[in-house]
Amino acid sequence: MHEKILILDFGSQYTQLIARRVRELNIYCEIHPWNKCPELDDVKGVILSGSPFSVRDSSSPQPDLSAIRGKLPLLGVCFGAQFMAHNFGGEVLPSTIREYGRANLSSVDTNHILTKGMSVNSQVWMSHGDTIKTIPDNFKIIASTEDVAVAGYHIEGEDTYGIQFHPEVYHTLEGAILLKNYLVDICGCSQDWTPNSFVDETVNSLKEQIGNDKVILGLSGGVDSSVAAILLHKAIGENLHCIFVDNGLLRKNEFSQVLDSYQGMGLNVKGVNASQLFYDELKGLTDPEAKRKAIGKVFIDVFDAESKLVEDAKWLGQGTIYPDVIESISATGGPSATIKSHHNVGGLPDYMKLKVVEPLRLLFKDEVRRIGASMGMEPSLLGRHPFPGPGLGIRILGDITPEKVAILQDVDHIFISSLKEDGLYDEVWQAGAIFLPVQTVGVMGDERTYENAVALRAVTSTDGMTADWSHLPYEFLAKVSNRIINQVKGINRVTYDISSKPPATIEWE
């Protein structure tokens, strides 16, 4: 068992970032809803997240910290800091000016164990509508800004701390210093959560869990399912049966190229071309969710039929990762907001009597890539952009036909190939093309045309939760547009999407 940091989630948009920053320091952590605190065995310290609630609201979270405070190191961030100040004898009031965005520390105790190594005037990130007005006598202020007197405090006589700013976000420039001080010097974590240790422990655990049973795993060509497959292969070898389904909605030549790559890695994999089954089920559908469900239904049908050809299979392998798990549980312990239906969590039909094994369910996407690299997987596979489960089915707005798929595959191929040729692919988090449900007037030669339009989409991000549009060079976009219009019959107009998430999403459907 690894030593563990527990993060209690009060619904903050930044909670996953806290966990990722902890993991980057090679320390294992888990996120749990504030009202579903697990057993504290092996827990070295606890972090209280921020929240959209105000501590002054009667409906705000009211955690019982009696089993934690004074017994384990405790760090409150934003709401967490305000909650402790409010409930332990201080006063929290509405801010006269909403404190959001960049701020600078006007004073910081550089000798204090939590803030040592930080600098006066260091930039921090604020995001709160309340402020800590007064604190009890046993609270010691260890950091302030011009507008926030209590930007950081320590409850004397115990390892309990609160900070009003967010050390986990990129804009808090010395946030990593504070987190390391807390995790290593205060909590005493040994930083032993490494890719190599994860691989060794997971392979041994899978061997014990599965024994000589057979496992079926659906490969998608993406990073998650690929790394999950290699881990399972290391544990059970030929008893892992991989199925790679061509739904007719993959990128150009992707089915054959990825299948060859998997076979080159020694995986026991079977390719199944089921394109026509998907096209038949999708015929005439235009609603995005209806298309998702149709794609999911046919995939399950095909996967189930292929699974039955593997005698005595008892397990279903999935590439579920930690954000999928977290998103299926809200901070209040109830159902979360609607999750798009192609996510891995849930969705296994009752008639498929298979137990589920998910070797990556504790990992974030960046950790999955590091695990894959530690096992010697090809950088080209690990560095692939995310691709939606329904594939091009949700990048064709309106009804789907084989003709539209072929056109979009050609457009997408030119766009992605050009990004790679110009050394821009790795600067972009995700890129693709969208087939628009409109036709536009154009001129080709001496003739007017009335043909299709496409949109190109490229974003920068770290985890897909937020994203900005990629500021690709005008010269590059001009070259790509020219190539698409000249080489792809049926396209006479190319647009570029400059929307950020939020308010837009990365995919159009």
Side-chain angles (χ1 to χ4, degrees), residues 36-325:
K36 292 192 175 182
C37 184
E39 295 294 324
L40 298 174
D41 299 339
D42 301 312
V43 171
K44 299 284 286 186
V46 178
I47 299 176
L48 308 179
S49 83
S51 175
F53 290 97
S54 165
V55 297
R56 297 175 299 103
D57 294 341
S58 58
S59 59
S60 67
Q62 298 293 320
D64 179 4
L65 301 178
S66 59
I68 300 171
R69 184 186 170 189
K71 301 176 179 67
L72 290 169
L74 178 60
L75 174 66
V77 176
C78 195
F79 175 91
Q82 292 180 356
F83 174 83
M84 291 193 292
H86 179 70
N87 285 272
F88 299 163
E91 185 179 24
V92 175
L93 296 175
S95 302
T96 54
I97 300 174
R98 178 165 167 75
E99 294 154 338
Y100 179 84
R102 294 175 178 84
N104 293 89
L105 297 179
S106 57
S107 67
V108 59
D109 186 346
T110 57
N111 294 315
H112 193 275
I113 190 170
L114 183 67
T115 50
K116 69 181 191 309
M118 297 185 70
S119 312
V120 176
N121 292 323
S122 178
Q123 178 180 290
V124 296
W125 184 262
M126 295 287 191
S127 181
H128 57 98
D130 293 337
T131 194
I132 301 171
K133 188 67 174 178
T134 61
I135 53 176
D137 291 340
N138 63 332
F139 278 48
K140 176 186 177 183
I141 296 175
I142 57 176
S144 304
T145 70
E146 290 293 337
D147 297 318
V148 181
V150 188
Y153 64 75
H154 173 206
I155 301 181
E156 296 179 304
E158 57 186 86
D159 283 328
T160 303
Y161 311 85
I163 49 174
Q164 186 60 79
F165 54 91
H166 288 269
E168 70 273 20
V169 303
Y170 171 79
H171 299 293
T172 297
L173 301 184
E174 295 180 340
I177 295 174
L178 184 146
L179 286 173
K180 186 176 181 181
N181 289 343
Y182 174 69
L183 297 165
V184 177
D185 295 340
I186 296 173
C187 297
C189 294
S190 58
Q191 298 179 277
D192 61 353
W193 175 253
T194 64
N196 288 338
S197 70
F198 177 86
V199 171
D200 293 341
E201 292 162 15
T202 301
V203 168
N204 289 333
S205 175
L206 290 170
K207 287 178 178 177
E208 184 176 336
Q209 180 183 12
I210 298 168
N212 292 319
D213 294 346
K214 294 179 181 177
V215 177
I216 298 168
L217 183 142
L219 288 168
S220 67
V223 175
D224 300 337
S225 68
S226 302
V227 174
I230 294 298
L231 279 168
L232 284 162
H233 179 72
K234 280 180 170 288
I236 62 173
E238 290 296 305
N239 276 347
L240 172 65
H241 294 258
C242 299
I243 300 171
F244 184 33
V245 177
D246 183 0
N247 59 10
L249 303 169
L250 302 174
R251 286 179 155 143
K252 186 173 183 177
N253 301 323
E254 186 173 34
F255 182 62
S256 58
Q257 290 173 354
V258 173
L259 192 59
D260 288 345
S261 178
Y262 282 142
Q263 290 170 339
M265 290 188 284
L267 293 178
N268 177 17
V269 58
K270 179 181 180 181
V272 181
N273 188 337
S275 301
Q276 194 58 50
L277 293 175
F278 285 89
Y279 291 150
D280 291 344
E281 190 73 22
L282 287 164
K283 188 173 183 179
L285 296 182
T286 59
D287 178 74
E289 191 62 15
K291 291 192 289 185
R292 288 177 187 273
K293 288 179 178 177
I295 293 167
K297 173 186 176 298
V298 177
F299 177 82
I300 290 294
D301 290 344
V302 172
F303 191 79
D304 184 49
E306 292 296 327
S307 298
K308 289 175 179 175
L309 301 178
V310 181
E311 293 184 6
D312 300 322
K314 294 183 179 179
W315 296 85
L316 174 70
Q318 292 196 144
T320 307
I321 62 175
Y322 200 37
D324 298 331
V325 176

Side-chain angles (χ1 to χ4, degrees), residues 322-461:
Y322 200 37
D324 298 331
V325 176
I326 297 167
E327 288 171 6
S328 63
I329 304 173
S330 74
T332 56
S336 65
T338 301
I339 301 169
K340 290 179 181 178
S341 55
H342 67 275
H343 270 174
N344 283 325
V345 176
L348 185 65
D350 291 337
Y351 60 79
M352 289 184 70
K353 305 298 182 183
L354 297 173
K355 295 178 285 186
V356 175
V357 57
E358 299 168 317
L360 306 179
R361 66 179 286 111
L362 298 177
L363 302 181
F364 289 98
K365 176 74 77 172
D366 50 346
E367 292 178 303
V368 173
R369 288 195 169 98
R370 290 203 296 271
I371 296 299
S374 75
M375 295 190 295
M377 293 178 63
E378 297 176 12
S380 60
L381 181 58
L382 294 175
R384 289 187 64 192
H385 290 173
F387 190 62
L392 300 181
I394 58 167
R395 290 184 178 175
I396 296 174
L397 307 192
D399 67 316
I400 296 170
T401 66
E403 293 75 22
K404 289 181 181 178
V405 171
I407 289 173
L408 188 59
Q409 284 177 330
D410 286 340
V411 171
D412 179 87
H413 179 69
I414 290 172
F415 185 30
I416 299 301
S417 297
S418 299
L419 286 169
K420 292 177 178 178
E421 290 167 7
D422 283 43
L424 297 169
Y425 185 82
D426 291 336
E427 296 181 16
V428 172
W429 191 77
Q430 184 171 332
I434 298 91
F435 190 102
L436 303 180
V438 295
Q439 291 187 311
T440 69
V441 174
V443 178
M444 291 187 177
D446 295 326
E447 298 181 357
R448 288 168 62 85
T449 62
Y450 194 59
E451 295 182 327
N452 301 291
V454 292
L456 304 182
R457 179 77 158 140
V459 299
T460 57
S461 181

